[in-house]
Amino acid sequence: MRTTFLFGMALASVRMALAQPDIPANSVKPTPAQLRYQQQELIGFLHVGVNTFSDREWGTGNESPASFNPTALDARQWVRTAKEAGMKTLIITAKHHDGFCLWPSKYTEHSVKNSPWRGGKGDVVRELSDACRAGGVKLGIYLSPWDMHEPTYGTASYNQHYLNQLRELLTNYGPVAELWMDGAKGENARNMEYDFEAYRKLIGELQPQAVIFSDVGPGVRWIGNENGFAGETCWSTIRTDGMDIGKADSKYLNTGDPAGDKWIPGECDVSIRPGWFYHAAEDAKVKTPATLFDIYLKSVGRNGTLLLNLPPDKRGLIKEEDVAALRGLRSEIRKAFGQNKALKAPVAEAIIDGGKLTDGDNNTYLAAANGQKNAVMTLNLGKEQLVRYVALQEPIRLGQRVMKFRVEAKQQGTWVPLATGTTIGYKRLLKLEKPVTARQVRVVIEEANNTVALAEFSVY
Ligand code: FUL
């Protein structure tokens, strides 16, 4: 009697500890803007400009603005295409390295205002921001610090020029969700330092909710390659000591650092074609849905966001081939992850409040008892189910914790390993080498840097 009572008490207190809504957060964790950023998963990139017409990847700065003449530019088509693919933000090359501005900047003549497009009255950034607002997609801006056209480039006064253009873009087009800052530099600028501090400060003043992308953040970091692949181990934390834009170790950026003292999650950029700009010769080289899906698994499925480039063509439209490939990607994602067989599945251990783990809401979570850095969480799928993929999510608003885990399925009474991994982070997608049929699956968290907490455990 007494034993039962004590056991009951123990169970009750463990249950409370496991279900408690607020375990202490790690000291390194996302800001609300970074959290919103990571929840997007998919972002679109638009490279368009004079290179679209000269058929180059990098311009020279000597292109004539008269060459920019898209015959049917329609930013609503870009937004429609992106939205249909599940993208939440669209980032445009307002200015690429060649210096040609897609908006009528008052600080240069090298822009749409001297092009024949819309009789020189056009503004691509305006059209995109309007279309984004109407379509419920966020706007992002790529403003290349490298400017091959601008006469002050290479001298100290260029920083002021860059700040002036930044101010135009951040005050005239409504909210900007992301600023894309690339570190490329011209040979003629060896004696000039980009004043990144001042750039970041101005962005902070004018659009404090915007996340800043660069090799080293501070909002989001480059993942270290342009294939769209995050490391199999991928921490949202890094150290930035001794690194800066253009001066970062790409391998380090790829995996992040469990000892990182800054939350700067990884963004995986890749183009749907070999190049970033549109080239008719690459129409037959658009990535297939299967390749795009593999990239998705290696970016979104490894705690990254996928920034996928869709370059508008000479008409100013995303090409039919690209639109079809994106639809294919969407359908691959739907085929793989459309039906979560673990939704609302009870967790077998009586002490665990399983609803939080299988409720389809990544804001809620299930935690182990405070201080417990390993845990087993077992799902009962109700009947034998075919399992091809497993998805795990941590409640990253508390920081990133899991360092080592394995997933197992019960087969004829014994637990058989299906997959092993290191980090989970915002989302970890595991494609099983061999699909299995099972009624019970479990995740064994072997090591974590703080109390174990999982937001979602899904099975497909
Ligand atoms: C790079 C640039 O040099 C490429 O042209 C492209 O814009 C890519 C996304 O970033 O640094």
Side-chain angles (χ1 to χ4, degrees):
M1 174 75 187
R2 193 178 147 72
T3 336
T4 316
F5 174 71
L6 280 179
F7 184 61
M9 287 272 290
L11 272 188
S13 65
V14 173
R15 184 182 295 122
M16 277 182 65
L18 283 161
Q20 66 182 328
D22 271 317
I23 54 169
N26 286 9
S27 58
V28 188
K29 56 181 196 284
T31 63
Q34 287 173 318
L35 190 56
R36 281 196 297 277
Y37 167 85
Q38 284 181 274
Q39 286 167 339
Q40 300 180 102
E41 301 189 4
L42 267 173
I43 307 175
F45 219 175
L46 297 161
H47 276 68
V48 61
V50 285
N51 295 343
T52 311
F53 297 89
S54 61
D55 215 8
R56 296 176 70 116
E57 273 295 298
W58 280 7
T60 60
N62 298 320
E63 290 80 9
S64 165
S67 66
F68 184 81
N69 195 15
T71 48
L73 188 143
D74 184 1
R76 293 165 308 177
Q77 188 249 5
W78 306 346
V79 170
R80 232 181 5 254
T81 304
K83 215 176 150 175
E84 218 187 292
M87 294 170 169
K88 304 293 192 288
T89 295
L90 266 174
I91 304 176
I92 188 157
T93 50
K95 177 173 90 171
H96 201 250
H97 309 331
D98 53 73
F100 181 77
C101 297
L102 296 180
W103 82 105
S105 170
K106 66 176 192 220
Y107 299 99
T108 181
E109 292 303 304
H110 200 52
S111 83
V112 281
K113 73 185 172 204
N114 288 313
S115 80
W117 177 66
R118 307 245 192 277
K121 300 273 177 282
D123 182 340
V124 183
V125 179
R126 166 87 52 226
E127 292 191 16
L128 178 59
S129 74
D130 288 349
C132 279
R133 197 169 310 116
V137 169
K138 294 182 195 169
L139 174 70
I141 300 279
Y142 177 136
L143 183 67
S144 166
W146 188 9
D147 187 327
M148 301 175 183
H149 182 84
E150 170 56 31
T152 60
Y153 187 76
T155 72
S157 63
Y158 174 74
N159 282 313
Q160 191 52 52
H161 177 79
Y162 187 90
L163 288 167
N164 291 341
Q165 294 198 320
L166 203 48
R167 183 178 288 278
E168 287 183 319
L169 290 166
L170 297 181
T171 47
N172 295 330
Y173 299 93
V176 173
E178 182 168 349
L179 252 296
W180 219 82
M181 222 158 267
D182 164 285
K185 218 171 183 186
E187 283 292 303
N188 57 340
R190 263 194 249 121
N191 299 322
M192 181 202 80
E193 287 298 327
Y194 295 134
D195 191 353
F196 287 121
E197 276 279 321
Y199 305 171
R200 288 174 187 137
K201 191 159 156 263
L202 187 67
I203 297 164
E205 274 164 29
L206 299 174
Q207 300 257 0
Q209 82 298 332
V211 293
I212 302 176
F213 165 95
S214 83
D215 289 353
V216 291
V220 189
R221 74 174 193 264
W222 183 43
I223 205 63
N225 61 62
E226 290 183 338
N227 309 319
F229 298 165
E232 276 198 73
T233 294
C234 187
W235 291 92
S236 291
T237 47
I238 57 168
R239 289 184 174 278
T240 57
D241 320 74
M243 290 197 274
D244 207 340
I245 305 181
K247 295 173 200 149
D249 173 351
S250 54
K251 279 209 185 99
Y252 179 81
L253 296 180
N254 195 240
T255 58
D257 183 350
D261 60 352
K262 295 196 177 82
W263 187 274
I264 309 180
E267 180 172 272
C268 309
D269 62 323
V270 64
S271 184
I272 197 163
R273 292 162 168 256
W276 293 100
F277 284 86
Y278 175 81
H279 310 290
E282 293 180 354
D283 280 353
K285 294 185 182 156
V286 175
K287 291 184 173 67
T288 61
T291 300
L292 292 171
F293 181 65
D294 182 56
I295 293 172
Y296 175 84
L297 292 178
K298 290 175 175 156
S299 52
V300 175
R302 291 181 179 174
N303 188 36
T305 39
L306 173 55
L307 171 58
L308 181 60
N309 181 58
L310 316 166
D313 62 12
K314 290 186 184 183
R315 297 170 302 171
L317 297 174
I318 299 169
K319 196 82 203 290
E320 290 72 4
E321 289 87 335
D322 307 48
V323 173
L326 268 181
R327 288 209 177 114
L329 168 64
R330 200 67 211 151
S331 96
E332 291 288 321
I333 295 174
R334 212 173 294 124
K335 246 189 337 203
F337 300 110
Q339 201 209 337
N340 175 9
K341 295 170 181 169
L343 191 64
K344 309 269 191 273
V347 177
E349 284 86 355
I351 51 171
I352 289 178
D353 174 10
K356 300 284 189 287
L357 188 62
T358 56
D359 62 354
D361 177 357
N362 61 41
N363 292 305
T364 61
Y365 61 85
L366 173 69
N370 230 332
Q372 196 183 309
K373 295 178 180 170
N374 51 50
V376 179
M377 298 177 184
T378 310
L379 302 186
N380 186 338
L381 304 177
K383 58 174 189 212
E384 293 284 323
Q385 302 261 22
L386 178 66
V387 182
R388 299 171 64 229
Y389 296 92
V390 170
L392 297 168
Q393 292 191 270
E394 287 185 71
I396 55 163
R397 66 173 190 279
L398 303 174
Q400 190 177 343
R401 301 171 180 234
V402 175
M403 304 167 82
K404 191 170 181 223
F405 69 90
R406 61 178 198 272
V407 178
E408 299 178 330
K410 203 164 205 176
Q411 307 276 275
Q412 282 102 39
T414 43
W415 287 105
V416 176
L418 301 181
T420 58
T422 50
T423 50
I424 294 176
Y426 170 69
K427 189 177 259 188
R428 187 66 204 264
L429 300 173
L430 301 153
K431 182 179 180 179
L432 305 189
E433 272 170 29
K434 271 193 248 132
V436 293
T437 303
R439 180 191 291 263
Q440 276 182 288
V441 289
R442 69 181 187 184
V443 57
V444 181
I445 307 293
E446 296 173 38
E447 269 176 65
N449 62 29
N450 204 340
T451 306
V452 171
L454 280 191
E456 285 300 302
F457 180 2
S458 319
V459 167
Y460 301 93

